[in-house]
Amino acid sequence: MLRDRILNREAKITVMGLGYVGLPLVVEFAKAGFYAYGYEVDNSKVETLKAGRSYILDVSDDDIVSTVSKGKFHPTVDAEVIKDSDVVVICVPTPLRKTRDPDLSFIISAVQTLLPYVHRDMLIVLESTTYPGTTEELLAREIENKGLSIGKDIYVAFSPERVDPANKAYKTSDIPKVVGGVTDVCGVVAEELYKTIVPSVHRVSTARAAEMVKLLENTFRSVNIGLINEMAMICHKMDIDIWEVIDAAKTKPFGYMPFYPGPGIGGHCIPCDPLYLTWKAKMHGIEPRLVELASEINYYMPHYVVDRLVDILNDHGKALSRTSVLVLGVAYKKNVSDTRESPAIEIINKLLGKKARVDFYDPYVPSIMTIKGILKGLEDISDLSRYDCCLIATDHDGIDYEKIIKSIEIVFDTRGRLRKEEVYSL
Ligand SMILES: NC(=O)c1ccc[n+]([C@@H]2O[C@H](COP(=O)([O-])OP(=O)(O)OC[C@H]3O[C@@H](n4cnc5c(N)ncnc54)[C@H](O)[C@@H]3O)[C@@H](O)[C@H]2O)c1
């Protein structure tokens, strides 16, 4: 019985997609004693793992070496391992198309890879963030077409991933899991699986509800970030310090939760997930105005930052086109290397488009792609003499901000890190 094999840690598990979500997850299963395959289409990632190195900051090399050497973690590009597995967890990307509609091609492709190997008494969980209905429509239906009955022969569930890269307080194994099965028994089996690696599991009645949980969580963040970005723009016009206002508001012990303004939103989640929700809501005849407006405000922030920079430079008698700008931090948030959807890159493209001379420094990111081609980052910030201005787009720890303030005449901090009279802030 699958449930016994899960309880006894005898089940073999394949995690499909070893990125920010899949790699920490497969390592947790391996550490919990399961025999865990990591199936990945990118051979260079598999080779890196086999060489005992991690490419995700939250997963240490030691974790890889110890789980691989104990014979618990098996990274591979061979999909046939699925045939030998009792559980499959799908962690592939769910980005947006150029038209900003959901791009489910990675899920569809993962399902096509999986289908030849599905068998009775197997649990398949989708973890990729997506709109309600995906697990049933794109996964369960395909399996049923193979003649297997969901909830009887085979179990299918959705469980949103909540990992927060670079969060030192909460790692994959500390964060409660939500699960929802396509049938009740599917949910129960998935709950038993996750109970082996996380402190608590909250089971909802359907896979669709579980899919919606993730969209609620991230839309909540998007809407609140949109609100505080709007408040920042209002405060600036009214000559009120938004950071001081937030510090004061958050002394209220109930009914308020601080969110912080910034140069825009980035990463694979907050820019994308609300648009999965709005796309599906529209198919049900709902115009999700608040959600769309928050996204619009957040997408506007890089333009706002560039406009503000132009004004700041004007006040100093400088034109952007004759200015040397150092952009500090290009990852989408501090202490990570992920540049997906990063507002810093949008800002750099706008500055380059307006003929500014732009360099960047980011200890986590060696180079980025811009409208002018590949831009290599500075290796260090020992010589700052050539810059008229520094724009702090991402406030990584471990940077000598004092030196920057002393060396560069104009510093514009979009993250509220410095909070000093001589530094411009949002
Ligand atoms: N990054 C986060 O912080 C985060 C947090 C919560 C949820 N999520 C969600 O988790 C999902 C995965 O995100 P991620 O950040 O880990 O993405 P990622 O790009 O870091 O990793 C996905 C991996 O899947 C691989 N892949 C693509 N197609 C594949 C296939 N058919 N079979 C096997 N491997 C395949 C890719 O090569 C890549 O290594 C997304 O739906 C995302 O929205 C991400």
Side-chain angles (χ1 to χ4, degrees), residues 17 19-21 39-40 45 92 94 128-129 161 165 268-269 340:
Y20 289 92
V21 164
Y39 167 67
E40 167 59 58
K45 287 186 177 172
V92 297
T94 43
S128 304
T129 307
E161 180 52 61
H268 187 26
C269 296
R340 288 178 294 179

Side-chain angles (χ1 to χ4, degrees), residues 140-152:
R141 204 167 287 163
E142 294 281 345
I143 292 169
E144 273 173 337
N145 287 344
K146 290 196 60 143
L148 292 166
S149 168
I150 310 288
K152 287 200 179 103

Side-chain angles (χ1 to χ4, degrees), residues 110-212:
V111 171
Q112 290 311 314
T113 302
L114 167 75
L115 278 179
Y117 306 115
V118 295
H119 54 77
R120 280 171 198 275
D121 214 20
M122 190 182 208
L123 166 67
I124 302 169
V125 185
L126 180 62
E127 284 217 7
S128 304
T129 307
T130 182
Y131 56 73
T134 310
T135 308
E136 284 173 19
E137 292 156 19
L138 298 187
L139 181 57
R141 204 167 287 163
E142 294 281 345
I143 292 169
E144 273 173 337
N145 287 344
K146 290 196 60 143
L148 292 166
S149 168
I150 310 288
K152 287 200 179 103
D153 302 326
I154 191 164
Y155 311 100
V156 181
F158 182 83
S159 179
E161 180 52 61
R162 294 159 142 181
V163 70
D164 181 20
N167 189 326
K168 298 251 183 286
Y170 296 100
K171 305 269 176 219
T172 301
S173 57
D174 310 306
I175 307 169
K177 268 290 207 181
V178 168
V179 299
V182 170
T183 68
D184 283 349
V185 68
C186 294
V188 171
V189 178
E191 181 178 357
E192 278 167 1
L193 172 74
Y194 286 108
K195 271 186 180 159
T196 62
I197 56 162
V198 296
S200 70
V201 180
H202 182 96
R203 180 157 49 88
V204 292
S205 61
T206 59
R208 298 169 75 246
E211 289 162 333
M212 193 57 120

